[in-house]
Amino acid sequence: MPQSPERRAHVLRLIAALLLALGLVAPPLPSFAQAAGQVRVKIVKAGLLLGGGAGRGVLTYRGKTYPFKVNGLSLGITAGATIGRLDGWASDIHDVGDFAGTYSSVGGGFALVGGVNGVHLRNEKGVTIVLQGPKAGLELAANISQVTISLR
């Protein structure tokens, strides 16, 4: 049985209203402009009061890998030497070039032969890196750190 034009228009308006309502309550998708990247870093640290560290890592961002270098200094209570491998995420990246820069952190840690390391860093471009992973060595640290990341 054919429907009247008014009935068809009413059904189409109802479908359009339902689709609009679903679009308003659906969770937002992450913006392509601010993508997250996976980060892996290997770092060696040593110090007594003033500490230093260096390492290398890889950022996987939008399907591509970008190797980088890490250099850092810490000031505070630092004693010992460790080797660590950290894995995590970098967020709020608008462009891969935003990942490079100077990051700051306040933190601490302890390792006696082995331990777990975690760090939360943020740079001047708003990129945040959260990393964690095992470390080996002997270290006692409570300090302010500044880390410089440069893409290779």
Side-chain angles (χ1 to χ4, degrees):
M1 176 186 260
Q3 292 183 346
S4 69
E6 296 94 24
R7 174 98 172 133
R8 261 189 250 151
H10 177 71
V11 169
L12 288 175
R13 281 194 299 269
L14 183 60
I15 291 171
L18 285 171
L19 290 173
L20 179 63
L22 285 174
L24 293 174
V25 297
L29 297 174
S31 168
F32 189 69
Q34 292 184 346
Q38 183 181 9
V39 180
R40 297 194 109 164
V41 182
K42 291 181 184 176
I43 192 159
V44 176
K45 297 185 334 182
L48 183 59
L49 295 179
L50 180 66
R56 296 176 185 265
V58 174
L59 167 68
T60 303
Y61 177 69
R62 294 185 175 160
K64 295 182 182 177
T65 57
Y66 300 90
F68 62 88
K69 289 183 183 180
V70 179
N71 291 302
L73 289 176
S74 61
L75 179 61
I77 302 168
T78 301
T82 59
I83 297 172
R85 191 187 81 221
L86 303 170
D87 295 304
W89 294 93
S91 59
D92 298 324
I93 301 173
H94 295 277
D95 179 74
V96 72
D98 293 346
F99 183 73
T102 301
Y103 291 79
S104 57
S105 170
V106 175
F110 175 77
L112 178 61
V113 180
V116 177
N117 200 14
V119 65
H120 186 106
L121 303 165
R122 186 171 176 91
N123 76 4
E124 68 277 2
K125 298 170 193 159
V127 176
T128 301
I129 302 175
V130 178
L131 301 167
Q132 64 181 17
K135 64 180 174 179
L138 174 63
E139 177 187 41
L140 172 64
N143 49 40
I144 299 171
S145 300
Q146 194 166 49
V147 175
T148 303
I149 292 178
S150 55
L151 294 169
R152 292 192 284 156

